[in-house]
Amino acid sequence: MIIVMSPEATEQQIEAVVKKIQEYGCDANISRGVERTLIGAIGDERRINQETIDAMQGVEQSMHIVKPYKIVTREWHKENTVIDISGVPLGGNTVQVIAGPCSVETQPQMDAAAHYVKAAGCRLMRGGAFKPRTSPYAFQGKGVEGLEMFRRAADAEGLPIVTELMDVRMLETFMEWNVDVIQIGTRNMQNFDLLKEVGRVNKPVILKRGMSATISEWLMAAEYIAAGGNHNIIFCERGIRTFETAYRNVLDVTAIPVLKRETHLPVIVDPSHAGGKAWMVPALARAAVAAGADGLLVEMHPVPCDAWCDADQALSPEELQQLMRELAGVAQVIGRDI
Ligand code: PEP
Ligand code: MN
């Protein structure tokens, strides 16, 4: 950390800052300029509470030199991390498309969905059994019964499953049903107690971006999971809230290269919740792959207009097939496959 003292700072104030740095277990290096004195804190600067330093008399500003996130940062881990999802690699050269309905509805719906996901060439399936709905009166998901239906349908096609965990009390049940990837939804990105708990299990986690979370808040949320020992984290950009109302959310394509630079962990994109309309999904999906996304999370329903949740944004099975063909072309151009 570098601490810039104000031009009027007194010797006693400089000494007080040095003493405080030493209390945190760091060494202080004083550099006296013509106008200002700079103090460098050497050692594990993450131990230093920046707010405490900023509040000290004579301090103009302070800056951290190392990133506040240590496990998820690319700083100490240069290579891309490839996550093994029950035999399917995510984060390598192959772009993985995770497709399936917004929510688990019935066994025939899930059986048909699994069949179409597989037929389109996708290797992973999504579906929510516990749904975070804006209204408490809207369909809340089939719950544990939904997990059972999902597992049965996906197993018949040999597809690992991705499903959202909202309540930490359900974690054991998710483990019993052998959920392959735990999804943490946008509304729970900063539910720190939930993040700590999924940090303790050895299951891949998709961490969706909070609807108005900054990149740094998102990375710190991932660090919560990583700090518990679970490093199998996949970031999912799903659009952010802005002033625009012409579409559900704004897909932040910039987040893809920025995250790929900041972290070694895989980054995927959910074009369905970003656009909110099925017709927007192909364009957003192509943009995401072109920008370097390692995968996509796409909503597809056997009969979109019958979907119990997010009917407007679900692709039909034919549209998913068509999208997979288009994405193969985009992936090829950038030296990847699908
Ligand atoms: C979902 O993927 O089912 C979902 C609810 O998405 P989000 O958390 O991004 O709104
Ligand atoms: Mn949905």
Side-chain angles (χ1 to χ4, degrees):
M1 175 181 271
I2 292 176
I3 296 138
V4 182
M5 301 302 289
S6 73
E8 302 80 33
T10 64
E11 253 336 286
Q12 285 88 336
Q13 289 169 345
I14 294 171
E15 267 169 40
V17 171
V18 168
K19 194 157 161 277
K20 184 58 80 183
I21 289 170
Q22 289 164 344
E23 280 171 22
Y24 282 118
C26 293
D27 287 331
N29 182 301
I30 305 176
S31 155
R32 290 175 200 276
V34 184
E35 280 190 20
R36 281 178 172 75
T37 296
L38 301 185
I39 306 172
I42 300 152
D44 185 1
E45 60 162 69
R46 288 188 193 88
R47 288 195 229 152
I48 303 176
N49 185 350
Q50 192 168 9
E51 284 170 22
T52 305
I53 299 289
D54 285 347
M56 292 183 78
Q57 300 227 310
V59 172
E60 192 169 272
Q61 57 169 315
S62 65
M63 291 151 264
H64 273 293
I65 302 299
V66 295
K67 309 270 165 127
Y69 32 91
K70 36 184 175 181
I71 304 169
V72 307
T73 179
R74 215 184 254 286
E75 221 167 12
W76 317 114
H77 189 299
K78 298 291 176 209
E79 319 76 49
N80 288 332
T81 288
V82 180
I83 296 181
D84 177 0
I85 305 176
S86 311
V88 177
L90 202 158
N93 204 50
T94 303
V95 176
Q96 299 292 357
V97 179
I98 308 162
C102 179
S103 61
V104 176
E105 299 165 4
T106 64
Q107 192 65 58
Q109 170 244 12
M110 289 308 280
D111 292 343
H115 166 77
Y116 291 126
V117 166
K118 184 70 179 271
C122 305
R123 298 179 196 88
L124 299 157
M125 186 171 174
R126 66 147 288 147
F130 298 87
K131 296 304 302 175
R133 303 305 299 279
T134 303
S135 164
Y137 307 115
F139 170 58
Q140 303 285 304
K142 295 293 273 190
V144 181
E145 193 193 347
L147 290 182
E148 194 174 341
M149 291 180 200
F150 193 0
R151 192 73 270 176
R152 196 176 300 132
D155 281 351
E157 300 290 346
L159 295 163
I161 65 172
V162 176
T163 196
E164 178 166 352
L165 176 73
M166 295 202 297
D167 187 330
V168 78
R169 290 168 295 185
M170 275 294 141
L171 185 53
E172 270 310 304
T173 311
F174 271 47
M175 300 304 279
E176 278 160 28
W177 284 102
N178 199 21
V179 166
D180 299 280
V181 182
I182 300 171
Q183 178 174 319
I184 300 294
T186 196
R187 294 155 190 82
N188 276 313
M189 189 204 83
Q190 283 188 316
N191 182 339
F192 299 120
D193 288 336
L194 186 59
L195 299 179
K196 282 182 198 165
E197 289 305 316
V198 297
R200 282 192 241 279
V201 298
N202 189 25
K203 283 278 175 198
V205 176
I206 287 182
L207 181 64
K208 290 194 133 193
R209 183 181 188 174
M211 41 188 104
S212 50
T214 63
I215 299 282
S216 134
E217 287 165 342
W218 195 7
L219 286 159
M220 288 308 289
E223 190 75 19
Y224 261 92
I225 302 172
N230 186 356
H231 298 184
N232 301 306
I233 307 159
I234 300 152
F235 289 87
C236 180
E237 160 64 35
R238 46 80 72 201
I240 48 173
R241 250 319 150 77
T242 72
F243 53 84
E244 186 53 74
T245 53
Y247 21 88
R248 191 171 180 180
N249 291 289
V250 174
L251 177 64
D252 181 9
V253 178
T254 316
I256 306 164
V258 170
L259 268 190
K260 293 296 294 179
R261 190 181 161 97
E262 287 297 316
T263 176
H264 52 91
L265 295 165
V267 178
I268 67 169
V269 167
D270 173 348
S272 309
H273 289 88
K277 297 281 176 203
W279 66 266
M280 295 179 192
V281 170
L284 301 181
R286 292 191 303 260
V289 173
D294 298 302
L296 297 169
L297 186 68
V298 179
E299 289 190 345
M300 183 279 302
H301 192 280
V303 188
C305 60
D306 287 347
W308 296 5
C309 184
D310 285 349
D312 255 17
Q313 67 192 37
L315 296 183
S316 66
E318 299 72 33
E319 286 167 336
L320 179 65
Q321 286 223 341
Q322 171 63 17
L323 177 62
M324 289 299 279
R325 281 194 289 272
E326 289 172 16
L327 294 176
V330 178
Q332 196 192 12
V333 170
I334 55 166
R336 298 183 83 159
D337 50 54
I338 196 150

